[in-house]
Amino acid sequence: LLYLDLDRFKNINDARGHAAGDALLLAVAQRLGGLMREEDTVARLGGDEFVILSTRAAQEHDSDARAARVVAGKVREAFEQPFILDGQPYSASASIGVVVLGPAPQGTEDLLRNADTAMYRAKAAGRNRVAFFEAAMQQEVEAQLALESELAQAIEREQLALHLQSQLDATGTVVGVEVLLRWTHPLHGAVSPARFIPIAEESSLILRLGHWVLEQACLTQRQLLAAGHAIPVSLNVSPRQFHQADFVEQVLAVLERSGARADLLVFEVTEGLLLENLEHTIPRMDALAARGIRFSVDDFGTGYSSLAYLKRLPLHELKIDRSFIQDTPHDPGDTAIVEMILSMARHLGLKVVAEGVETRAQADFLAARGCHAMQGFFYSHPQALDAWLRVTQRSSSLFGPL
Ligand code: C2E
Ligand code: MG
Ligand code: MG
């Protein structure tokens, strides 16, 4: 529930008359209405106060605070363009208080009062802001915002790095690497990508990060080649990055500039990305595949998709999600799922990589079932390129045939 109050509404009434004030209220109402989906509600409570009830639920892996912040962010963006009153532009802003509705029923009066309290907090903090009623959410949102603005500078400040994690076959030979992004924050130290990637994905930051990762992955590949490791380099491609109109051109330009080999690049994408807008996805993947780039489905088995897409798309590989590997081979359910994925992939001519392999028992089981490659802490943790180069000679003989 969002409670909006226009900032300094009195000014427009005083300076340009009540007719102009009325016109502004109408224009704001229209703009807010245009922003919402059918199941949302926008109301004017009176004066310059509006209330929005949004049913946008938190997506998977998303917190309620983050989902609410997305909605509030959309509302704030709607105020960025000036309103045209009587042919003249007028800039207005709003202070927004947010209450997140929990599963337990709450009375309307209470909700509105709490949202109003939060709105006053937004005003007190200097207007044109969003404040949450729940203290914990306010803290979380503030921490996210701080992280987001620091992340925006992380590339220039050289706080980012790619780490390499090996993929090994049943004979213990390194047959590939995945590059994983690492952010060393000057104060907090290492920040997990599981925390900062979703934050970057919410803003357009992910586009810059993704482009940087692509460039660095190409550079890494060249360094590996120079050291005698002609192995594919897998990198994670985020949905927003992939869906940019000029993504294919960007990739080709980076390939050209870096001199990297397209046939030694694997793009890890998620099921969600593949199914979103299939008509655009297929030609785009085909164009990249024609250059030799291969596609892998990351976290396979955790999406809710139909399997029909597996034969429609130019896929090379499936990465079994580590949640299934974790309890294999002692949990019969997970073991059956892993075996099913392996057999399905074999029939479809796809390679399989198991991620999150932590024990000898898991590795032996997967190798015996014909899994092409295994990746996980049992073999190695992700590490910087120089460290990776140093230990790889040793570890490939260390594991030997399983
Ligand atoms: P992912 O692509 O599924 O990466 C695998 C994650 O599992 C990595 O976590 C890796 O460190 C971790 N892992 C590897 N072996 C084991 C194991 O044996 N046990 C356990 N428990 N974990 C293991 P990390 O590096 O924290 O990355 C988390 C996620 O962040 C990645 O999941 C990926 O979705 C995202 N990510 C990381 N780097 C990038 C990037 O450059 N671009 C994008 N778009 N996303 C990235
Ligand atoms: Mg991955
Ligand atoms: Mg994964």
Side-chain angles (χ1 to χ4, degrees):
L1 185 82
L2 282 73
Y3 200 113
L4 271 80
D5 185 284
L6 301 186
D7 294 328
R8 302 191 171 89
F9 181 65
K10 201 170 157 299
N11 287 359
I12 187 170
N13 277 333
D14 292 349
R16 290 170 66 174
H18 282 90
D22 287 352
L24 177 63
L25 291 175
L26 274 172
V28 168
Q30 262 164 10
R31 207 172 275 185
L32 291 177
L35 213 63
M36 297 296 125
R37 300 171 316 174
E38 215 168 317
E39 56 270 38
D40 300 336
T41 303
V42 184
R44 175 173 169 236
L45 273 196
D48 60 346
E49 296 181 347
F50 293 85
V51 167
I52 296 172
L53 181 62
S54 167
T55 53
R56 185 198 148 109
Q59 320 244 308
E60 216 196 338
H61 307 307
D62 226 15
S63 66
D64 284 336
R66 200 194 310 269
R69 184 155 82 80
V70 171
V71 177
K74 266 175 59 182
V75 173
R76 270 194 55 193
E77 268 171 37
F79 280 86
E80 276 168 13
Q81 294 296 319
F83 295 88
I84 307 296
L85 309 176
D86 250 348
Q88 289 194 43
Y90 184 85
S91 297
S93 65
S95 296
I96 306 172
V98 184
V99 174
V100 176
L101 281 67
Q106 283 167 280
T108 317
E109 291 293 316
D110 285 352
L111 281 172
L112 284 173
R113 197 188 47 242
N114 293 347
D116 190 30
T117 303
M119 185 276 290
Y120 269 98
R121 219 176 279 153
K123 284 254 187 244
R127 297 188 167 84
N128 189 19
R129 273 158 216 265
V130 179
F132 281 74
F133 178 71
E134 296 83 357
M137 293 212 174
Q138 183 70 29
Q139 273 168 15
E140 189 183 331
V141 163
E142 273 165 21
Q144 278 174 19
L145 283 174
L147 222 53
E148 186 179 314
S149 70
E150 288 164 335
L151 185 57
Q153 293 157 356
I155 296 180
E156 286 74 33
R157 297 188 175 166
E158 302 187 349
Q159 294 165 356
L160 296 179
L162 287 187
H163 279 195
L164 283 69
Q165 191 177 29
S166 302
Q167 300 176 344
L168 292 86
D169 70 7
T171 71
T173 307
V174 176
V175 291
V177 283
E178 177 178 8
V179 289
L180 294 154
L181 195 52
R182 292 291 175 264
W183 178 21
T184 310
H185 186 282
L187 245 69
H188 311 315
V191 186
S192 159
R195 176 149 172 79
F196 71 77
I197 292 285
I199 291 177
E201 257 162 6
E202 225 168 70
S203 64
S204 49
L205 255 183
I206 192 69
L207 304 180
R208 278 173 51 209
L209 286 186
H211 196 263
W212 186 86
V213 167
L214 177 64
E215 285 178 326
Q216 296 298 310
C218 287
L219 195 71
T220 301
Q221 186 211 73
R222 298 216 36 180
Q223 289 166 320
L224 286 173
L225 279 169
H229 299 279
I231 50 172
V233 173
S234 297
L235 59 138
N236 296 283
V237 175
S238 113
R240 275 190 71 175
Q241 191 188 351
F242 182 88
H243 288 301
Q244 289 173 99
D246 62 345
F247 180 65
V248 174
E249 289 75 27
Q250 279 185 36
V251 172
L252 297 181
V254 172
L255 279 174
E256 176 107 4
R257 230 178 308 131
S258 63
R261 276 174 58 180
D263 64 324
L264 289 181
L265 278 186
V266 178
F267 284 3
E268 292 191 6
V269 294
T270 53
E271 286 172 71
L273 174 149
L274 295 174
L275 298 175
E276 205 179 299
N277 214 336
L278 260 187
E279 307 71 57
H280 288 278
T281 305
I282 295 177
R284 195 166 285 191
M285 286 178 75
D286 282 338
L288 292 168
R291 297 300 184 111
I293 289 175
R294 289 176 288 181
F295 287 91
S296 172
V297 185
D298 206 350
D299 308 331
F300 184 75
T302 57
Y304 303 94
S305 48
S306 96
L307 295 174
Y309 75 92
L310 289 179
K311 36 174 214 192
R312 287 188 62 194
L313 297 171
L315 295 174
H316 167 72
E317 165 188 291
L318 306 178
K319 276 191 100 163
I320 308 180
D321 190 67
R322 69 165 178 271
S323 59
F324 301 118
I325 303 298
Q326 210 167 23
D327 295 321
T328 295
H330 61 266
D331 179 274
D334 285 337
T335 308
I337 290 173
V338 169
E339 287 184 319
M340 185 273 290
I341 295 176
L342 283 165
S343 122
M344 182 182 66
R346 190 171 323 117
H347 290 297
L348 289 169
L350 296 168
K351 273 190 54 196
V352 179
V353 179
E355 66 176 22
V357 178
E358 293 183 353
T359 66
R360 162 71 70 175
Q362 291 165 352
D364 286 345
F365 171 83
L366 289 159
R369 294 298 186 288
C371 186
H372 301 91
M374 287 151 296
Q375 175 181 347
F377 297 164
F378 174 61
Y379 301 101
S380 64
H381 284 255
Q383 52 200 329
L385 178 68
D386 46 355
W388 186 93
L389 286 171
R390 249 182 284 122
V391 300
T392 296
Q393 306 301 347
R394 264 194 296 138
S395 64
S396 49
S397 51
L398 196 72
F399 286 101
L402 290 169

